[in-house]
Amino acid sequence: MGSVSDKVSGKVNEMVGKAKQGVGDALDNREMQAEGAVQEAKGDAQQAKGEAKEAVKNVIDKA
């Protein structure tokens, strides 16, 4: 995946994860809360990966 698609996928996973956590809180469903937290963390990692790819590309482009 490219840096933009990593960032977009990461943002989507982050938002869905937060939503799952909210629903889990409302329903007092610890499993859904945990799934949401994991998905949010996955989204954060995807976004970081996209940022890193972009940074490397910028360095290469300047060389």
Side-chain angles (χ1 to χ4, degrees):
M1 270 196 254
S3 64
V4 172
S5 60
D6 283 331
K7 288 188 220 177
V8 170
S9 294
K11 193 63 171 174
V12 169
N13 274 318
E14 183 182 334
M15 291 176 4
V16 171
K18 284 182 182 182
K20 280 184 181 179
Q21 288 179 70
V23 171
D25 287 342
L27 299 175
D28 196 29
N29 183 329
R30 293 194 186 277
E31 185 177 338
M32 187 173 281
Q33 290 170 337
E35 286 176 13
V38 168
Q39 190 162 2
E40 184 178 359
K42 178 182 176 183
D44 289 339
Q46 283 175 313
Q47 287 185 65
K49 180 180 175 184
E51 293 291 335
K53 283 182 179 180
E54 189 173 318
V56 168
K57 182 183 178 304
N58 288 339
V59 168
I60 291 170
D61 288 345
K62 287 181 181 179

